[in-house]
Amino acid sequence: MQSQDSGAIPKYSAVIPAFNEIESLPELIDRITKVFLSGFPEPQCYEIIVVYDGSSDGTKELLIDLSKTLPQLRPIILRKNSGKSMALMTGFLKVRGDYVITLDADLQDNPEDIPLLMSKISDGYQLVTGHRERRHDTLTRRIGSSIFNKTVQRSTGLNIKDLNCGFKVYRSEVVRGITVYGQFHRYIPLLAHFAGFKVGEQSVKNSPRKYGYSKYRTLRYQSL
Ligand code: UDP
Ligand code: MG
């Protein structure tokens, strides 16, 4: 894993909510680091904020350990499991970058797609949300999700096909202009749209979960 001087104010802030994801995090952090170091004009200007959401599997110790050799890694420790929305919001309150990238911790989102999402930001969008066209989740979840997305599209007019994809890029004014709590992480594009921001969507690759288990089980309302 490479590391560089973190004295500069970062331009890019990755925010990763993590609950019991100890196996995935080293690979994820390594891949994000490589993307930032290779793909952007000012590669030293990034930070990776991992929000430790009360895991019981040693994630906290791992993050503290990794941050000793990677100063760009900023673990944020929550006292107890508070849910994905609260973990994201806590990260949003700490970001320093002009651009904020959220990814799930489980390697289902591919960090190598960050430049693709960023290019859509360059087209004038303030929030670009990933669209998992070939989504690796159970059929039940995909059907539930499709009903949810179509209902929201029809009732609000916002043409986003995959509201709850965790992989998103924001201009920093968006994360400062919305409040995410409860289960609102599912509606972030809608919250941003209603707050007056320009929201776009970009197809991204989606991979099967490599380690661990989904925290949002099938047939629970949280599974959308
Ligand atoms: N997550 C979290 N707190 C929770 C539940 C989930 O921080 O209480 C994180 C989790 O570690 C992952 C992301 O939210 O990074 C999405 O969770 P998961 O992959 O289990 O959901 P799914 O992809 O199955 O919808
Ligand atoms: Mg997942």
Side-chain angles (χ1 to χ4, degrees):
M1 197 177 290
Q2 293 166 280
S3 103
Q4 292 194 0
D5 183 287
S6 67
I9 303 268
K11 185 168 179 183
Y12 305 101
S13 300
V15 174
I16 303 159
F19 175 53
N20 288 338
E21 306 283 7
I22 190 168
E23 298 101 329
S24 307
L25 281 167
E27 178 181 334
L28 180 67
I29 291 166
D30 196 37
R31 284 170 61 188
I32 294 174
T33 298
K34 286 191 175 115
V35 169
F36 283 131
L37 289 179
S38 65
F40 293 103
E42 301 159 69
Q44 74 278 17
C45 294
Y46 70 95
E47 62 183 355
I48 303 175
I49 296 178
V50 180
V51 184
Y52 162 89
D53 188 21
S55 305
S56 53
D57 64 354
T59 301
K60 182 161 108 182
E61 292 70 22
L62 173 84
L63 290 171
I64 291 169
D65 205 36
L66 290 176
S67 67
K68 287 179 189 154
T69 51
L70 186 70
Q72 290 86 351
L73 176 62
R74 295 175 62 204
I76 296 179
I77 310 297
L78 298 183
R79 263 191 310 278
K80 65 173 192 53
N81 178 239
S82 305
K84 183 175 177 181
S85 284
M86 197 51 79
L88 282 172
M89 191 65 206
T90 308
F92 290 168
L93 292 172
K94 299 284 183 188
V95 293
R96 296 178 294 169
D98 298 328
Y99 303 97
V100 178
I101 300 114
T102 58
L103 308 92
D104 285 353
D106 57 1
L107 297 168
Q108 288 202 261
D109 303 320
N110 287 267
E112 294 74 22
D113 282 341
I114 292 173
L116 199 60
L117 291 170
M118 280 300 305
S119 68
K120 192 115 187 182
I121 290 277
S122 310
D123 290 346
Y125 292 97
Q126 290 163 295
L127 165 60
V128 179
T129 185
H131 174 204
R132 299 162 290 182
E133 285 190 59
R134 292 167 62 93
R135 184 171 165 182
H136 289 271
D137 281 311
T138 62
L139 181 64
T140 321
R141 287 196 60 180
R142 282 185 277 129
I143 292 171
S145 196
S146 168
I147 295 168
F148 169 72
N149 284 305
K150 286 197 172 106
T151 306
V152 172
Q153 268 180 54
R154 284 189 192 145
S155 53
T156 66
L158 178 65
N159 188 25
I160 295 292
K161 296 177 211 71
D162 188 7
L163 288 159
N164 190 23
C165 178
F167 196 13
K168 295 177 166 58
V169 174
Y170 309 67
R171 292 185 62 96
S172 61
E173 63 263 26
V174 180
V175 304
R176 299 188 208 293
I178 59 174
T179 306
V180 187
Y181 62 95
Q183 298 296 326
F184 278 13
H185 61 271
R186 300 169 204 292
Y187 302 96
I188 286 177
L190 210 51
L191 296 179
H193 172 68
F194 287 142
F197 296 111
K198 195 172 174 202
V199 180
E201 194 168 44
Q202 170 65 52
S203 289
V204 288
K205 192 170 164 200
N206 184 246
S207 302
R209 183 180 254 282
K210 199 164 168 184
Y211 307 102
Y213 62 95
S214 169
K215 312 308 177 304
Y216 296 100
R217 304 291 170 83
T218 306
L219 296 182
R220 285 174 55 185
Y221 75 95
Q222 289 96 329
S223 68
L224 293 171

